Amino acid sequence: AEKVLGYDLLSLCLEGPPDELDRTQHCQPAVFVASLAAVEKLNHQQPKVVERCVAAAGYSVGEFAALVFAGALGFAEALYAVKVRAEAMQKASEAVPSGMLSVIGRREANYKFACLEARKHCESLGVENPVCEISNYLFPDSRVIAGHLQALEFLQENARKYYFTRTKMLPVSGAFHTRLMEPAVEPLAEVLKSIEIQKPLVSVYSNVNGKKYMHSKHIQKLLVKQVVSPVLWEQTMHSVYERKQGTEFPYTYEVGPGKQLGAVLKKCNLKAWKQYNHVDALEDEETRDA
């Protein structure tokens, strides 16, 4: 990773500084590499799990890791694509004061109407072509809304009117998965054209439509589209775990930093979550002490 990126990713992950690690251009390669490191650890501890794996999915940049795991992309080439994607998204973020707002709403919450009113509010402030839209579908009653900061501030101030029970700004620098990321499309498209993409060995589900990738051209096209499209994670969870009544659920492993996707799975499908495990890239306390 250090050769591809040109800096010491490991020491940045272990020692920080945190604000450097949180920068989009460093955070995305770190998540990608840490996810695949966790896969290696899982393979070392329980090789059968990896051998018997039937499907994979990754959240946002995690989709690149899922495709490497499935044999569709090579590690170094995918990391280089992630580097280009992350730097382009960082640059796009710096061009416009924008962000992402995590929202939990009541049943009657109308997210699209709230976004429309927030855009109108921005227009009244003189913001040209304001952006405010759903960028991530997490679980029933939870969305991430992204766009101009003025729009997000408006939604926080009027949360009760739109039946939002909780709103929280995410610690990111821009409105990812909206058209404000348009400048990142071309650089990523160029890199992906130069990379050899194979058909995945196991099913990989796309963030863009929640369906399985069919062939390499499909992967190339949708990975680019993903930058400016909402992440349909809730829909993906339904696709992955759809099965006939009485059929057992598979084991699910979240590989990489954090357990957020496990928390989302619990909200989407409690039965599937009962077979959930988390694998971190770091050593376990017991192993280290031993």
Side-chain angles (χ1 to χ4, degrees):
E2 190 176 344
K3 280 201 180 98
V4 174
L5 297 169
Y7 58 86
D8 186 349
L9 184 67
L10 183 62
S11 80
L12 183 60
C13 285
L14 297 177
E15 291 147 35
D19 53 341
E20 272 304 302
L21 183 57
D22 281 345
R23 281 170 67 83
T24 303
Q25 69 190 75
H26 298 139
C27 183
Q28 290 188 23
V31 168
F32 169 83
V33 174
S35 301
L36 289 166
V39 170
E40 282 303 319
K41 178 173 151 184
L42 179 61
N43 194 23
H44 184 70
Q45 291 175 340
Q46 303 181 61
K48 286 266 186 297
V49 168
V50 176
E51 276 166 36
R52 292 176 182 169
C53 180
V54 290
Y59 186 93
S60 192
V61 73
E63 196 158 286
F64 285 83
L67 287 161
V68 170
F69 168 76
L73 300 172
F75 171 77
E77 292 162 320
L79 178 58
Y80 182 68
V82 166
K83 174 184 191 283
V84 169
R85 177 189 190 266
E87 285 167 0
M89 285 170 77
Q90 176 86 41
K91 209 169 155 190
S93 300
E94 286 161 6
V96 177
S98 57
M100 302 180 84
L101 182 72
S102 172
V103 175
I104 292 184
R106 301 219 316 253
R107 280 286 150 83
E108 53 270 56
N110 184 335
Y111 302 95
K112 287 188 173 153
F113 176 66
C115 290
L116 174 69
E117 295 217 320
R119 289 196 295 272
K120 282 183 181 162
H121 167 74
C122 285
E123 281 167 359
S124 75
L125 298 176
V127 177
E128 278 183 41
N129 293 324
V131 171
C132 182
E133 55 201 55
I134 297 172
S135 60
N136 308 70
Y137 291 81
L138 296 177
F139 53 84
D141 308 324
S142 177
R143 307 277 181 271
V144 176
I145 293 174
H148 283 83
L149 280 183
Q150 298 95 320
L152 304 181
E153 282 158 9
F154 171 83
L155 291 177
Q156 281 190 293
E157 282 159 23
N158 296 280
R160 284 182 65 180
K161 179 185 171 185
Y162 301 116
Y163 302 104
F164 295 166
T165 48
R166 209 179 84 208
T167 60
K168 185 182 169 214
M169 287 298 290
L170 296 179
V172 294
S173 51
F176 304 148
H177 304 290
T178 69
R179 59 184 170 82
L180 287 175
M181 290 295 120
E182 211 56 78
V185 164
E186 203 43 51
L188 179 60
E190 281 307 305
V191 174
L192 289 172
K193 272 181 203 155
S194 67
I195 291 177
E196 198 180 331
I197 303 175
Q198 310 286 348
K199 191 176 189 300
L201 301 169
V202 298
S203 299
V204 179
Y205 289 78
S206 162
N207 288 179
V208 173
N209 58 16
K211 298 187 172 105
K212 293 175 191 177
Y213 280 115
M214 300 320 285
H215 49 77
S216 54
K217 274 276 174 276
H218 200 202
I219 293 171
Q220 187 185 334
K221 193 174 134 194
L222 292 189
L223 280 179
V224 174
K225 203 176 169 190
Q226 193 227 53
V227 175
V228 288
S229 306
V231 173
L232 305 186
W233 194 254
E234 184 186 337
Q235 295 85 331
T236 302
M237 292 297 91
H238 293 317
S239 299
V240 171
Y241 296 105
E242 195 179 7
R243 55 217 340 99
K244 289 193 185 82
Q245 200 81 35
T247 315
E248 279 191 24
F249 282 97
Y251 284 93
T252 298
Y253 292 83
E254 178 172 3
V255 281
K259 299 180 182 177
Q260 291 90 331
L261 299 179
V264 170
L265 175 60
K266 189 177 183 179
K267 296 271 199 328
C268 287
N269 190 326
L270 188 61
K271 282 184 177 167
W273 175 79
K274 286 182 176 160
Q275 311 274 28
Y276 161 89
N277 297 276
H278 173 249
V279 183
D280 202 315
L282 293 171
E283 288 179 281
D284 297 325
E285 306 296 322
E286 313 88 84
T287 331
R288 203 170 49 233
D289 295 343

